[in-house]
């Protein structure tokens, strides 16, 4: 790589400085605010009274939490290893920003949702950690649009703002509007998708074709990416059921998600073959569009969507998402100045929006007959100040929530994109994108070999 | 690949048509038949009475389900990535047929096992989804024998028939014969193994050596395959215990499987080294034979097999399976016209048969002393119409069940093989097998490179 | 590889002989000693009385067990695939010695901890299997220092002695000294780390630079290693909480570990960038040092370490471990004759020692106010003969336990190292280290290619 560079990607001062300063800030803020909650504190032995140990929320949620954790770090991480020369950056920066984001999310979400007003402390347990993983998922989705084109310092800034925006957006949607969104179609995917697309629009690179030699996959990087795809696909039922209601809620959320995903695979393969010459399948579609059904069933996962309803959602999403890769992504790049490396518009933004619509319709159609009275109250949390809520009104609230997610995503993305355009973040030059050498020590041996062969 | 081809692998019409038609059929059939069961329906809030939420079957079985799910998609999928040019097909088609198979399995198994005669609906919960994964495992095993030699359309046909046969076979074995088979040595592995071998025999290709250049592994494809091996190996205890009885049943099935697998590893390494020149280990054995102990302990996993009994089963299986790779697979190919790409005869068919025999013996030897009376009734389900059953008779039933599995496997395979010989399915020519280029868009850059170097 | 060899790496007799003899010994010893425990025996149906099935210890611990199992086989295994030509040996021998070690560990730990004196049998259940995985982790850590330089027969000897030493050391630390060590900072990591380093010191190879051409990674082997890293990182909370107390104990151990690991990632990235020219990140650090926080929080994981306390531990460990890779590993190799292939001194030995110190301090500072009286008794097991124990004295016991771990590690390593120096084990010559060809059948095609290109 002897090309002259107009940009300096040296992050020897900025990256360590940001990491250390922020980690110290985390320690101080955790020291002031974060404490164990009732179920993780040693006092539980005395205060649980006649509860069995197995009724600690840990046993309801920890297996799901671990699956979600795998999705965040292995799923998102390996899905982004598909580029021929950016596997380190894909899995490595995903690791960095997720590890940072979950700490900041515990604080931000804690202030809004788990603050104990009696002592001013945030009390955390397993559900907070699932929510932190959810929160950071929004930022990782946004990273997908920017993969290969930004510096790790930019990603940390994106995450700091992204988590903050997410926590506010989530509070408005869940607490104020009182929408339900167990799997986060709106809160996570719509927000994260449009957040990333808006940033990408702000950071548009007209000369990105200068690194076009690195913009594809190679054989084994595609196989690595399938690790990400499969762990996301397999554990998505845990994602959508992780914070659903105990008992039938979690059970039903798992079933709906499982079925929607299964249907998506079939239509993704169908459309992928149909739109390629000679009917050959495209790994990009298989890696990504097969997951869209999990996104779109997120909001309605804990509702009585019915098994065939889930299949229908998955069917449509496989079609929509694959068509997105074939037609919409090139269009966005050519005409809208949105360069979307991983195609998050097809995997997260559109399916997330669709999921919000499905959720609103399903909620509006809910009835005592289908849910039983107690079931309706449980599923939609028609309690306390919302005890007089009815399903049709709830449907309206769901639609309103979807708008909030869109506004936060697009508005927040434009704002953060403006910040990231400052010339201080060490981002790569146009001819240096999608190249791990910008930020990673790449051993000499294979390095030479790879340049010559461009494999 | 400029070789002339006598066959047309273009599946641009057939694959999309089959996928879409079948998915629409699934939606209609699910709409007519499939509903949430008691524990996943919103009515549970009212109808559970004084059960704790944690006693929902979801919490007994979901962690095991997720492990099984990983085995089906990552385990089987990556185990089949070992070929140098067929990793996309290995993991990708595995994904496709598993996603299709589980939907059809829910219907087929539901009609036989979960039909609520009061309203004609199949009521599904977590156990049905485990059983669907089990069912599709049989078809994935069969795929192993055919890897690289069939088209995805053929695989979908194989799966449609395979799932159907499986559901009938399972019903006969479990419900009519009243055999026990928690880990599916007979129902899954014996059936699936012989099903695949019989199809392979029907589809014999005398000139397969024309693609011999692609019939091996390369360094990194062998490492990818180890991902499959290890996830299968680690989660096999969950596989065998997933639908075992609550409490001690699941606990014991896990222990027996774990121990059997540990012993198998030792004898596989021993035999692999013993039968290679210079004592060098062969990755094919390590990838496959180390798993045979999990297959062979399947039927007896929930019985009082004793820990050392499990070790003995595993010990024998490691020996048997490795010898199979060294001696039997070449023999089958040369003299029996059975081309078994992954060696499923050594990993599933033989160990499955052995597992059926072990199960029959262990069942026949059961006693009140060893199990306690209530334990015996629970473990062997000596209830209702079988309340007068005794262990020795149960042993005979187990042996009969093994014959049923064999007959369904071989007979079904010959039948389905005959269907798959029709010249309409887009299968590859002999000189075009084991090559992802037949069905996948393979990027140009590395493609050229790989052809030249044949790496 | 046409270099002349002074050593014979043919293990065709020794490896099979050792594997078969030891497996037969296992079968006999299991036959004499090992039985199902109360919760996995079929008698449980009668003897559980009014316990719910869900209160079987299986449901408390099995999800954590499976995560630990993944760490042992995929985590440790793939972490050791990073070398360009030793991926088979990394993941394969890890598999072999873990499968052997868990069997021997069940016996050794059983004799010390689970022997039922009424009938002379060891009664095993899920907790024993977690402990067996823990035990074998010590040997796998030691393997990390020796990776590429020893034969599989030597590894089996290392494991036989290592498990034996571990069981004695664990008994002294946990039962006699009555130290607490839920995540094994002392028992597993300090012991295993120094055990491996002492053996490496005994097996010092002054001419190891003769295989320096193979001593690095290549692009894809680094990505494979990230699979190991991430599964270790994600499941470490399960590791540290797997045998912690039911309820709040497991809940808290998970939280502390999760937070410590998150902080470690930030400081590892910071230090890695700071100490490389141009601020480029080094995959060696990211693969290893990011995990040090999980090691260091092991002992104190179930204590009331507080969330910010966990962050501080993780912060320091990321710094310490990365500095270790930059400065200490080269120093150890140059001046102390310790060749540490994977840098276990930085990932296990030092952080483990630090974890022991943190545990001692945290224990000494415990109080009724922070834990509640019952919480203190539960957490530190101040029962029976230790019912008059106080936290400050417990702190002293913890410190003593750390010394025991050190002594067993270093002393045992020197002893076993002396045994492994015997010229009968088939270890490779200096110019033949880090090469899979010594013990594995490596296919010809890619083999030639790789030698020529040295990729």
């Amino acid at each position: 790589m002897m090309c002259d560079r107009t940009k300096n990607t040296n992050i020897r001062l900025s990256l360590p400085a940001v990491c250390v300063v922020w980690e110290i800030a985390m320690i101080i803020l955790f020291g002031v605010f974060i404490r164990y909650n009732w179920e993780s504190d040693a006092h539980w032995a005395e205060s649980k009274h006649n509860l069995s140990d197995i009724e600690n929320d840990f046993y309801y949620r920890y297996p799901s939490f671990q699956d979600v954790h795998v999705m965040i770090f292995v799923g998102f991480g390996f899905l982004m290893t598909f580029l021929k020369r950016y596997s380190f950056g894909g899995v490595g920066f995903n690791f960095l920003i997720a590890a940072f984001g979950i700490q900041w999310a515990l604080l931000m979400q804690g202030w809004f949702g788990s603050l104990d007003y009696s002592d001013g402390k945030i009390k955390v347990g397993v559900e907070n950690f699932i929510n932190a993983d959810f929160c950071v998922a929004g930022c990782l989705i946004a990273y997908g649009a920017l993969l290969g084109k930004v510096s790790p310092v930019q990603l940390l800034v994106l995450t700091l703002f992204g988590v903050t925006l997410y926590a506010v957006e989530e509070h408005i949607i869940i607490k104020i509007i009182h929408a339900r969104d167990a799997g986060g179609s709106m809160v996570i995917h719509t927000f994260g998708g449009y957040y990333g697309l808006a940033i990408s629009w702000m950071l548009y690179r007209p000369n990105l074709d200068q690194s076009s030699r690195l913009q594809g996959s190679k054989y084994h990087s595609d196989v690595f990416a399938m690790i990400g795809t499969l762990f996301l696909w397999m554990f998505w039922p845990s994602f959508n059921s992780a914070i659903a209601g105990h008992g039938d809620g979690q059970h039903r959320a798992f079933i709906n998600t499982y079925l929607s995903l299964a249907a998506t695979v079939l239509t993704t393969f169908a459309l992928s073959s149909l739109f390629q010459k000679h009917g050959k399948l495209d790994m990009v579609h298989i890696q990504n569009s097969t997951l869209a059904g999990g996104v779109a069933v997120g909001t309605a996962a804990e509702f009585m969507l019915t098994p065939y309803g889930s299949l229908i959602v998955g069917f449509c999403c496989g079609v929509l998402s694959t068509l997105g890769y074939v037609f919409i992504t090139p269009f966005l790049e050519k005409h809208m100045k949105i360069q979307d490396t991983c195609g998050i518009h097809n995997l997260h933004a559109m399916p997330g929006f669709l999921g919000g619509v499905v959720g609103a319709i399903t909620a509006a159609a809910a009835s005592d007959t289908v849910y039983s009275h107690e079931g309706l109250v449980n599923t939609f949390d028609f309690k306390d100040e919302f005890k007089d809520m009815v399903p049709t009104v709830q449907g309206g609230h769901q639609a309103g929530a979807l708008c909030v997610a869109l506004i936060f995503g697009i508005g927040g993305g434009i704002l953060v994109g403006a910040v990231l355009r400052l010339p201080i973040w060490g981002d790569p030059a146009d001819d240096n994108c999608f190249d791990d050498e910008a930020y990673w020590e790449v051993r000499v041996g294979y390095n030479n070999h790879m340049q010559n062969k461009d494999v």
Side-chain angles (χ1 to χ4, degrees), chain A:
Chain A
M1 293 298 177
M2 288 299 110
C3 355
D4 63 322
R5 299 219 181 109
T6 53
K7 292 196 170 187
N8 181 2
T9 59
N10 192 326
I11 48 169
R12 189 171 183 178
L13 286 182
S14 54
L15 182 65
V18 168
C19 285
V20 169
V21 168
W22 286 358
E23 192 55 50
I24 290 172
M26 289 300 116
I27 291 173
I28 294 168
L29 289 167
F30 271 58
V32 176
F33 287 107
I34 305 242
R35 297 292 179 273
Y36 302 117
N37 76 359
W38 177 57
E39 293 176 298
S40 58
D41 191 285
H43 285 83
W44 199 66
E46 285 189 5
S47 59
K48 67 175 176 163
H49 300 301
N50 56 2
L51 273 178
S52 164
D53 276 335
I54 198 85
E55 293 180 276
N56 191 305
D57 199 36
F58 182 77
Y59 301 103
Y60 284 98
R61 307 225 179 262
Y62 190 67
S64 304
F65 160 74
Q66 277 297 26
D67 292 351
V68 172
H69 218 41
V70 171
M71 293 174 73
I72 297 297
F73 289 89
V74 163
F76 281 104
F78 272 85
L79 192 62
M80 290 196 275
T81 59
F82 75 99
L83 288 169
K84 67 178 76 162
R85 287 296 301 274
Y86 211 73
S87 301
F88 291 3
V91 70
F93 295 150
N94 182 81
F95 192 17
L96 172 65
I97 62 183
F100 167 66
I102 50 183
Q103 299 176 55
W104 181 232
L106 283 170
L107 284 162
M108 281 301 304
Q109 295 183 313
W111 283 318
F112 281 114
S114 303
L115 202 57
D116 179 342
Y117 288 96
S118 69
D119 60 0
K121 305 298 183 191
I122 298 163
K123 304 289 171 66
V124 296
V126 63
E127 195 169 335
N128 298 74
F129 290 86
I130 297 173
N131 276 315
D133 272 14
F134 280 3
C135 178
V136 90
C139 297
L140 300 179
I141 291 166
Y143 178 30
L146 306 167
L147 185 72
K149 300 177 294 185
V150 289
S151 77
V153 181
Q154 282 179 309
L155 288 171
L156 286 168
V157 173
L158 173 153
T159 305
L160 183 73
F161 283 103
V163 167
T164 311
L165 287 162
Y166 179 102
V168 177
E169 171 232 27
E170 182 191 37
H171 180 73
I172 294 172
I173 287 177
I174 305 297
K175 293 288 163 59
I176 298 179
I177 300 185
H178 192 261
R180 304 291 290 169
D181 196 10
S185 296
M186 303 183 287
V187 173
I188 302 169
H189 298 283
T190 304
F191 165 74
Y194 287 103
Y195 180 59
L197 292 167
I199 295 176
S200 190
W201 181 70
M202 291 295 288
L203 300 181
Y204 180 64
R205 288 167 179 269
N207 301 315
L208 191 59
D209 56 354
Q210 289 180 10
S211 15
S212 63
R213 74 196 179 287
L214 296 172
Q215 249 183 304
S217 62
K218 57 181 172 176
Y219 199 69
H220 279 170
S221 67
D222 269 330
V223 182
F224 278 119
M226 281 303 290
I227 297 174
T229 299
L230 289 177
F231 276 101
L232 287 170
W233 194 91
M234 295 181 306
F235 289 167
W236 217 294
S238 300
F239 191 92
N240 286 350
S241 67
I243 58 163
H246 286 175
D248 66 291
Q250 287 192 282
H251 204 148
R252 192 164 56 250
F254 135 66
I255 291 174
N256 290 333
T257 311
Y258 176 107
L259 290 174
S260 176
L261 284 162
T264 306
V265 175
L266 274 277
T267 48
T268 299
F269 271 82
L271 272 280
S272 181
S273 175
L274 196 61
F275 283 96
Q276 298 284 334
K277 56 176 184 207
H278 309 308
K280 294 191 181 185
L281 297 159
D282 189 327
M283 263 304 202
V284 170
H285 307 156
I286 310 307
Q287 282 160 14
N288 292 283
S289 297
T290 50
L291 301 168
V295 175
V297 86
T299 300
E302 63 177 334
F303 300 164
M304 293 287 286
L305 183 57
T306 74
Y308 70 93
S310 306
L311 290 183
I312 293 171
V313 171
F315 185 98
C316 298
C317 261
V319 173
L320 184 72
S321 178
T322 312
L323 291 179
Y325 278 98
V326 176
F327 297 114
I328 303 177
T329 300
F331 177 86
L332 289 181
E333 178 152 0
K334 200 164 174 190
H335 301 288
M336 303 279 288
K337 301 192 174 179
I338 298 175
Q339 292 157 329
D340 179 5
T341 313
C342 294
I344 64 166
H345 186 258
N346 314 307
L347 172 45
H348 297 284
M350 276 197 305
F353 188 88
L354 183 65
V357 174
V358 170
I361 295 168
T362 320
S367 70
D368 268 20
T369 326
V370 173
Y371 286 77
S372 82
H373 178 68
E374 204 175 325
L376 198 65
V377 169
N378 269 354
T379 306
F380 292 96
D381 195 34
F382 290 159
K383 291 170 191 164
D384 304 330
E385 51 178 319
F386 293 97
K387 72 176 157 39
D388 299 324
M389 189 78 129
V390 292
T392 45
V393 177
Q394 177 71 28
H397 284 221
Q398 298 283 139
L402 183 54
C403 298
V404 172
L406 264 174
I407 292 166
F408 267 81
I410 295 171
I414 290 172
L415 192 85
V416 174
V419 174
L420 294 180
R421 285 172 76 163
L422 298 175
I424 57 171
W425 305 116
D427 52 316
D430 288 345
D431 64 350
N432 200 27
C433 286
F434 311 116
D435 191 347
D436 271 332
E437 267 193 276
Y439 303 110
W440 297 85
E441 199 67 38
V442 182
R443 313 280 170 238
V444 177
Y446 60 85
N447 187 15
N448 284 338
H449 174 70
M450 294 181 74
Q451 278 179 35
N452 299 339
K453 302 281 162 186
D454 205 27
V455 278

